[in-house]
C-alpha cells in the first residue's frame, strides 16, 4: 500500500493520504458524489485498517478528482470504455477455458484498457459493474470477476427494468388481468397473493382489489382457472381448511416389551381392498367375541409431541389423491394389524348374554395372530366355522339395536381415485357386503363395551351420544325413505358424560376402534392404558378440552374430504363430457325435486321433473359445471 493508492472504502473510491503504521491508513474518500453539473463531490478523511479497504491500484493516482473525473465519462452508455468492456466480455466468453474462470480485477483492467492506470482504476471498476457483463467476487480482500452468460445479463437487466418501472408494469398487468389475457408464465409472479387467497392462507388479495374483483376464495379460484394459472385438477380444499397434505412425520417409538395376553387362534382383519392401515380384527372363540384394535397408545403418551400433533389433525385425511395420516406412516408396520406374524393390540373381550346384550367387557393388552381378508373374500367364507359365528353375532346385534330404536340408513357410496401421473379421475361404486355389516356391528359392540368398562371403573372418557330423531310415520319405501331418514338424524355429541346414542340404539357408546385414524379413539386408548397400568389418568376437564380440540380438527378434515370428493367428481364430469347416468327421485318439491345419482354418490336438485314420483328414475347429464363453487346443474335426457 502506497500513498495515493486507489482503494474501495464502503464501496466508494478513496485515496490513501497517510500511512500511520503497517496496519492503519488515512484515506480520503468520496462521502457524497456530485449530483448536479457545477457541484463538487464532498470528500472526507477516515483512519481505517487494511481489512476495511480493497485495493484497486497500488500505483499512485494524480488526485481523487482525477479518479472521479475519468469515471464520469467511463460509465456512460455508449462510452469507449463500455465498448471495450463488451469486446473483452465477448472474447472471454468465446474461450472455453476462461468462460467461467475468475479473472482478477487488474488482469481484467489490462484486457479492457491495455494497462491498468491508477487514475482509471475506479472508472474501469464502476463501468464493469454497471455493464452487468461480469459477476463480482470478493475473497481475502481481493476482487475478481467471472463473465456472465448473455442469458444471465438479460435476466439482470429485466429485473432492473422491472424495479425501475414497477408501478407502470403492475398497472399494465392489472389491465391484462381485467381483460382475461395474462402473459404466462411471465405474469405468474404477480398472482402469488391470489393463489394464497384461494388456498385460505390470507384473508384478502391486493391484486383482486386493484382489479376491482370480488374478494372471495371461490372468485380467486375461478380467476386462477380462467387465466390458466391453475389446471382444473388443482384441489385447494385441504389447504383452505388449514390441513397438511402430508402425513405426520414424527415416528412412533418401537412398541415396548411388556406383558401381553397371547390370544389363541386366528383373528380376522376384514376391510376394503383399498385399505392400507388395518387397525381392527375380530374373532369368536366359542365363549367371547374378541375385538382387537391397533395399540399406538402403547408409546403415544398424553400431551406428548405426537399426541399434540395428532390432536391438531383430528383424524387421518382421506381424499382421492391419497391419505394424509394422523400418525407417521412409517410406523404403521409396528402398529397396524396383520402386517407382521404377530400383532400387538388393545383388545376388548366381550361376553354376550342369551339376548345378545353385553354381559361383560374386559380390556386387555394382547398379542394376536391376524389374517387379512377383503370384504368379498370374507363373504365367500361366511359359512366356515371361523366366520359363521361372527355373522350370527352381527345379525343378532343389529336386530337388538333395531328393537331399541336404532336407525339403519343405507345410501349409495362411491370410491374416488386420482391417477398421480395423468390426474385422470375414476369413480367406482362401493358395493354392500355382509361382511362389512359384520365388522360394523363388531365395532359398535366394542364401542359399547368400552363405554361400559370406562363408566364402571370411573375412567374420564370420550363418550359419543346422539339425541333421538323425530321420525314421521309416513316414511316412504326405497331410497327416498333412506334419504328422509337421514334428514331426520340429529348431530352427534362428544362429552365426558355418558348419554344415549339413539341412532345406534345404545344407552352409552364410545368410539375406540380407529386410534390410528381418529384422535378421539387415540385419547380413549391413552385413558384405558393408563388405567390398566395404574398410572394417573387425564382428568375430566383436561379430557374435555383435548376432545374438543381434536373434534374441531376432525370436523375440518371431514369438510375438506367432502369438498375434495365433490371437486374430483366435477373434474370427472369435465373429463367425461358425454357422461350420462341414472338419477332416482328421493324428495319431491314444488319447483325442483331432489335426485340421488348412485353412480356419482351425490344428490342434486333437478328442475322439470314434476312427472317423476318418489323412487322414480330418469337419465341425466351435466349441463353446467361451476368448479370453484362446487356446483353442477344436471338436466334430464
Amino acid at each position: 500500500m502506497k500513498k495515493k493508492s486507489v482503494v474501495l472504502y464502503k464501496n466508494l473510491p478513496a485515496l490513501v493520504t497517510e500511512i500511520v503504521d503497517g496496519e492503519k491508513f488515512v484515506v480520503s474518500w468520496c462521502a457524497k458524489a456530485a449530483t448536479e453539473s457545477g457541484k463538487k463531490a464532498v470528500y472526507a478523511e477516515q483512519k481505517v485498517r487494511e481489512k476495511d479497504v480493497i485495493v484497486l491500484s497500488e500505483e499512485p493516482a494524480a488526485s481523487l478528482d482525477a479518479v472521479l473525473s475519468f469515471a464520469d465519462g467511463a460509465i456512460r452508455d455508449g462510452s469507449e470504455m463500455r465498448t471495450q468492456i463488451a469486446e473483452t466480455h465477448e472474447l472471454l466468453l468465446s474461450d472455453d477455458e476462461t468462460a467461467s474462470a475468475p479473472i482478477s480485477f487488474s488482469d481484467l483492467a489490462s484486457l479492457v484498457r491495455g494497462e491498468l492506470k491508477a487514475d482509471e482504476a475506479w472508472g474501469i471498476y464502476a463501468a464493469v459493474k454497471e455493464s452487468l457483463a461480469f459477476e463480482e467476487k470478493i475473497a481475502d480482500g481481493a476482487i475478481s470477476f467471472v463473465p456472465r452468460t448473455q442469458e444471465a445479463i438479460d435476466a439482470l437487466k429485466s429485473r432492473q427494468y422491472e424495479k425501475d418501472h414497477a408501478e407502470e408494469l403492475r398497472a399494465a398487468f392489472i389491465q391484462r388481468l381485467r381483460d382475461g389475457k395474462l402473459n404466462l408464465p411471465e405474469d405468474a409472479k404477480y398472482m402469488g397473493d391470489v393463489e394464497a387467497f384461494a388456498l385460505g392462507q390470507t384473508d384478502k388479495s391486493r391484486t383482486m382489489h386493484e382489479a376491482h374483483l370480488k374478494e372471495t376464495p371461490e372468485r380467486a379460484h375461478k380467476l386462477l382457472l380462467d387465466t390458466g394459472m391453475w389446471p382444473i385438477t388443482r384441489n385447494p380444499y385441504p389447504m383452505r381448511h388449514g390441513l397438511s397434505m402430508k402425513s405426520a412425520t414424527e415416528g412412533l417409538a418401537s412398541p415396548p416389551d411388556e406383558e401381553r395376553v397371547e390370544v389363541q387362534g386366528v383373528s380376522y382383519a376384514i376391510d376394503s381392498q383399498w385399505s392400507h392401515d388395518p387397525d381392527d380384527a375380530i374373532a369368536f372363540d366359542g365363549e367371547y367375541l374378541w375385538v382387537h384394535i391397533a395399540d399406538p397408545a402403547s408409546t403415544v403418551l398424553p400431551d406428548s409431541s405426537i399426541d399434540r400433533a395428532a390432536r391438531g389433525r383430528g383424524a387421518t385425511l382421506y381424499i382421492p389423491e391419497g391419505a394424509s395420516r394422523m400418525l407417521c406412516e412409517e410406523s404403521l408396520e409396528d402398529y397396524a394389524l396383520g402386517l407382521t406374524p404377530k400383532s400387538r393390540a388393545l383388545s376388548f373381550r366381550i361376553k354376550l348374554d342369551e339376548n345378545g346384550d353385553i354381559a361383560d367387557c374386559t380390556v386387555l393388552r394382547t398379542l394376536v395372530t391376524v389374517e387379512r381378508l377383503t370384504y368379498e373374500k370374507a363373504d365367500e367364507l361366511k359359512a366356515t366355522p371361523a366366520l359363521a359365528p361372527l355373522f350370527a353375532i352381527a345379525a343378532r346385534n343389529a336386530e337388538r339395536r333395531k328393537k331399541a330404536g336404532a336407525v339403519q340408513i343405507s345410501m349409495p357410496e362411491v370410491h374416488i381415485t386420482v391417477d398421480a401421473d395423468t390426474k385422470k379421475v375414476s369413480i367406482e361404486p362401493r358395493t354392500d357386503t355382509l361382511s362389512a355389516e359384520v365388522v360394523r356391528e363388531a365395532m359398535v359392540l366394542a364401542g359399547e363395551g368400552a363405554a361400559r368398562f370406562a363408566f364402571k371403573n370411573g375412567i374420564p372418557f370420550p363418550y359419543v351420544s346422539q339425541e333421538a330423531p323425530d321420525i314421521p310415520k309416513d316414511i316412504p319405501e326405497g331410497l327416498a325413505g333412506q334419504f328422509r331418514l337421514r334428514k331426520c338424524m340429529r348431530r352427534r355429541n362428544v362429552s365426558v358424560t355418558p348419554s344415549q346414542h339413539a341412532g345406534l340404539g345404545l344407552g352409552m357408546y364410545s368410539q375406540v376402534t380407529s386410534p390410528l385414524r381418529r384422535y378421539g379413539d387415540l385419547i380413549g386408548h391413552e385413558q384405558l392404558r393408563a388405567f390398566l397400568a395404574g398410572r394417573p389418568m387425564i382428568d375430566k376437564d383436561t379430557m374435555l378440552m383435548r376432545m374438543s380440540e381434536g373434534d374441531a380438527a376432525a370436523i375440518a378434515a371431514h369438510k375438506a374430504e367432502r369438498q375434495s370428493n365433490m371437486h374430483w367428481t366435477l373434474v370427472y364430469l369435465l373429463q367425461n363430457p358425454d357422461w350420462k347416468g341414472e338419477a332416482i327421485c328421493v324428495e319431491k318439491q314444488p319447483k325442483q325435486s331432489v335426485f340421488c345419482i348412485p353412480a356419482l354418490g351425490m344428490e342434486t336438485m333437478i328442475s322439470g321433473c314434476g312427472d317423476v314420483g318418489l323412487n322414480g328414475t330418469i337419465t341425466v347429464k351435466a349441463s353446467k359445471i361451476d368448479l370453484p363453487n362446487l356446483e353442477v346443474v344436471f338436466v334430464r335426457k
Side-chain angles (χ1 to χ4, degrees), residues 10-153:
K10 294 185 178 181
N11 292 320
L12 291 170
L15 256 60
V16 177
T17 58
E18 184 180 349
I19 300 176
V20 178
D21 54 39
E23 294 184 357
K24 291 184 179 180
F25 311 87
V26 175
V27 296
S28 176
W29 64 294
C30 179
K32 186 176 181 182
T35 57
E36 295 180 14
S37 178
K39 287 193 174 183
K40 292 186 177 181
V42 177
Y43 301 147
E45 288 200 337
Q46 180 70 41
K47 184 184 287 188
V48 298
R49 294 166 296 180
E50 187 172 357
K51 68 177 185 177
D52 297 328
V53 299
I54 298 175
V55 177
L56 292 179
S57 171
E58 290 188 345
E59 296 304 313
S63 66
L64 194 49
D65 279 335
V67 169
L68 293 172
S69 178
F70 178 81
D72 283 344
I75 62 175
R76 290 176 185 162
D77 287 338
S79 67
E80 180 187 17
M81 176 73 72
R82 296 295 284 267
T83 301
Q84 291 169 332
I85 291 171
E87 291 172 349
T88 303
H89 172 260
E90 185 178 351
L91 175 66
L92 292 173
L93 208 59
S94 65
D95 187 339
D96 289 340
E97 294 184 4
T98 60
S100 59
I103 181 171
S104 69
F105 170 69
S106 60
D107 287 345
L108 179 60
S110 297
L111 285 173
V112 171
R113 299 291 287 173
E115 62 176 320
L116 173 57
K117 297 178 181 178
D119 286 356
E120 297 181 359
W122 164 249
I124 297 171
Y125 174 79
V128 169
K129 293 263 288 183
E130 190 82 12
S131 74
L132 304 179
F134 294 86
E135 180 183 1
E136 182 182 22
K137 305 281 187 180
I138 299 178
D140 299 324
I143 300 173
S144 61
F145 288 91
V146 177
R148 284 192 173 103
T149 63
Q150 190 59 48
E151 183 180 7
I153 295 170

Side-chain angles (χ1 to χ4, degrees), residues 177 182 184 191-202 204-205 207-208 213-241 321 560 563-571 574 625-631:
L177 183 61
L182 291 189
L184 295 178
M191 295 286 285
D193 66 308
V194 178
E195 283 195 287
F197 186 46
L199 294 171
Q201 297 171 332
T202 61
K204 57 185 177 180
S205 165
T207 296
M208 295 180 71
L213 299 173
K214 186 178 180 181
E215 290 179 75
T216 66
E218 293 78 16
R219 186 65 184 86
H221 188 173
K222 184 177 187 303
L223 186 61
L224 292 163
L225 292 175
D226 291 347
T227 56
M229 282 286 298
W230 278 8
I232 60 172
T233 53
R234 181 65 183 270
N235 174 14
Y237 297 101
M239 291 189 70
R240 196 176 288 180
H241 286 282
E321 299 96 306
Q563 290 170 340
S564 294
N565 286 335
M566 178 58 91
H567 168 84
W568 287 110
T569 299
L570 299 189
V571 171
L574 289 168
I625 298 171
D626 183 349
L627 191 61
N629 287 294
L630 295 181
E631 294 175 353

